[in-house]
Amino acid sequence: MAWQPAENRYEKMKYNRCGKSGLKLPAISLGLWHNFGGDTPHERKLDMCRTAFDLGITHFDLANNYGPPPGSAETAFGEIMRTDFAGLRDELIISSKAGYDMWPGPYGEWGSRKYLIASCDQSLKRMGLDYVDIFYSHRFDPDTPLEETCGALDHIVRSGRALYVGISSYNSQRTREAAAILKDLGTPCLIHQPSYSMLNRWMEDDGLVDTLEDLGIGSIVFSPLAQGMLTTKYLNGIPEGSRAAQNHFLKKDFIRPSIIENIGKLNGIAERRGQTLAQMALAWVLRGDRITSALIGASRSAQIVDCVKALENDSFTAEELAEIDLYAREADINLWAKSAEL
Ligand code: NAP
């Protein structure tokens, strides 16, 4: 019998308004950067998407280059749209992005109008969609006028390819500039996608959290688990099959004793709170209602189940926050922040 979504799927998830827009996003969203390429069996991808949707995760985040090979995560998600999520399009928020290297030659990356519009068309084709809900400029392009990049985003919305636009990893100043241009064009910036976690606080240090609040732009923070470092999996070495074992985006180097010792102490705080470390890390980014959604990744559906339970205990005492700061700041966040500038 065909898969049917859980009837109670909207009962437990929290939905937060995205900035000052009319759109609400789930407090926890699922990203398809890892484990949705040709290296992962389709059954596992399907299981993760079904599990997420059954738990009220309505938002799935993609990009042109997610794989490997680049584009294969969108192709896999397109397949799931056709098989399992057919008929559910209006219950889903699907995003894609362009900015990183995607095809050879001078038009295959960064922020030109030529690249962004062509890439959006390719993403729609791979996913078999008429439109995406959110289309992002994946990174600021220092060599293309911001007016051109924002003009392309505006065109993508006006031509029906996307409903909203966002920017990713832009610093506070560039965010203000892009937001002003987009506002003038009549396509407001809905959302910003920066990296953020207990171990990576650049968006606080840069003033981006305040900027977004000031501008009424929502935020969806990526790698809130520091790619898995903010879980218990590395406390006793690097397990086979984990992201650090691949030594690509999460370097084995990061799993160094000084960091792991502090992560162990953070885990002690989580245990006192009756949570897993992953749950505490997610509750931490969502504390104080300043962040719209925590954008997790997963390699199996049980991790998604674990993560969503973060919402059962999402408040912190001042003492807990101070203790978290102590251990998290002791970990080598500079090394981490650099690696997170993807
Ligand atoms: P993350 O949530 O920090 O890390 C995900 C990894 O943590 C999983 O692959 C898994 O590692 C581990 N994990 C997750 N839940 C767990 C649990 N409950 N218990 C134990 N381990 C758990 O996020 P991310 O995957 O780095 O990024 C999330 C999404 O953000 C991406 O998919 C993408 O959509 C987006 N993103 C955007 C940008 C950008 O430039 N805009 C950059 C990076 C990511 P194992 O695989 O080792 O099991």
Side-chain angles (χ1 to χ4, degrees), residues 39-40 51 86 88 118 133 140 148 165 199-200 202 300 319 321 326 342:
D39 52 352
T40 305
T51 300
L88 296 172
D133 296 276
F140 173 74
E148 179 174 336
V165 298
L199 299 182
N200 170 14
W202 80 268
R300 53 193 68 90
E319 290 74 27
L321 290 175
L326 185 71
L342 293 162

Side-chain angles (χ1 to χ4, degrees), residues 30-35 61-62 66 97 100 138 168-169 193 221-228 231-234 241-244 276 278 295-300 302-304 306-307 342:
L30 182 67
L32 276 56
W33 177 34
H34 279 254
N35 309 306
D61 180 71
L62 294 108
Y66 292 175
K97 326 180 185 78
Y100 287 92
H138 209 159
S168 177
S169 299
Q193 188 175 129
V221 298
F222 71 80
S223 301
L225 303 175
Q227 296 199 58
T231 70
T232 52
K233 79 174 66 210
Y234 298 115
S242 63
R243 197 177 295 183
T276 64
L295 179 51
I296 61 163
S299 60
R300 53 193 68 90
Q303 293 176 344
I304 303 171
D306 181 52
C307 288
L342 293 162

Side-chain angles (χ1 to χ4, degrees), residues 13-210:
M13 179 55 68
K14 195 177 158 204
Y15 296 91
N16 297 322
R17 187 164 300 280
C18 191
K20 291 204 180 110
S21 77
L23 188 71
K24 287 182 176 178
L25 291 180
I28 294 177
S29 302
L30 182 67
L32 276 56
W33 177 34
H34 279 254
N35 309 306
F36 279 83
D39 52 352
T40 305
H42 190 75
E43 273 309 306
R44 192 152 9 128
K45 302 174 203 172
L46 194 58
D47 189 36
M48 288 193 278
C49 287
R50 286 174 173 175
T51 300
F53 190 68
D54 275 349
L55 291 167
I57 295 181
T58 48
H59 179 26
F60 294 83
D61 180 71
L62 294 108
N64 56 356
N65 59 341
Y66 292 175
S72 58
E74 288 184 332
T75 304
F77 189 71
E79 180 65 22
I80 292 169
M81 283 304 300
R82 270 185 297 279
T83 56
D84 289 54
F85 287 180
L88 296 172
R89 182 67 187 93
D90 295 341
E91 293 186 49
L92 293 168
I93 298 296
I94 302 166
S95 57
S96 189
K97 326 180 185 78
Y100 287 92
D101 191 13
M102 192 56 197
W103 64 87
Y107 318 117
E109 64 176 330
W110 291 110
S112 69
R113 183 179 181 88
K114 168 79 177 164
Y115 167 62
L116 291 175
I117 294 172
S119 184
C120 183
D121 283 341
Q122 291 180 14
S123 291
L124 291 174
K125 202 167 166 197
R126 280 191 290 268
M127 292 190 277
L129 298 177
D130 298 328
Y131 68 95
V132 286
D133 296 276
I134 308 170
F135 192 77
Y136 286 92
S137 161
H138 209 159
R139 58 172 166 171
F140 173 74
D141 178 352
D143 298 322
T144 296
L146 202 46
E147 286 75 9
E148 179 174 336
T149 301
C150 292
L153 294 178
D154 173 64
H155 176 76
I156 282 168
V157 167
R158 286 182 195 279
S159 57
R161 293 169 168 94
L163 301 185
Y164 301 93
V165 298
I167 54 178
S168 177
S169 299
Y170 281 46
N171 68 24
S172 200
Q173 185 201 330
R174 298 305 184 192
T175 297
R176 283 193 184 275
E177 292 166 11
I181 297 166
L182 285 167
K183 191 174 172 202
D184 277 355
L185 289 167
T187 298
C189 180
L190 173 82
I191 193 164
H192 193 305
Q193 188 175 129
S195 60
Y196 184 49
S197 74
M198 295 194 293
L199 299 182
N200 170 14
R201 314 232 185 153
W202 80 268
M203 78 174 291
E204 288 175 10
D205 301 338
D206 181 62
L208 183 61
V209 185
D210 298 328

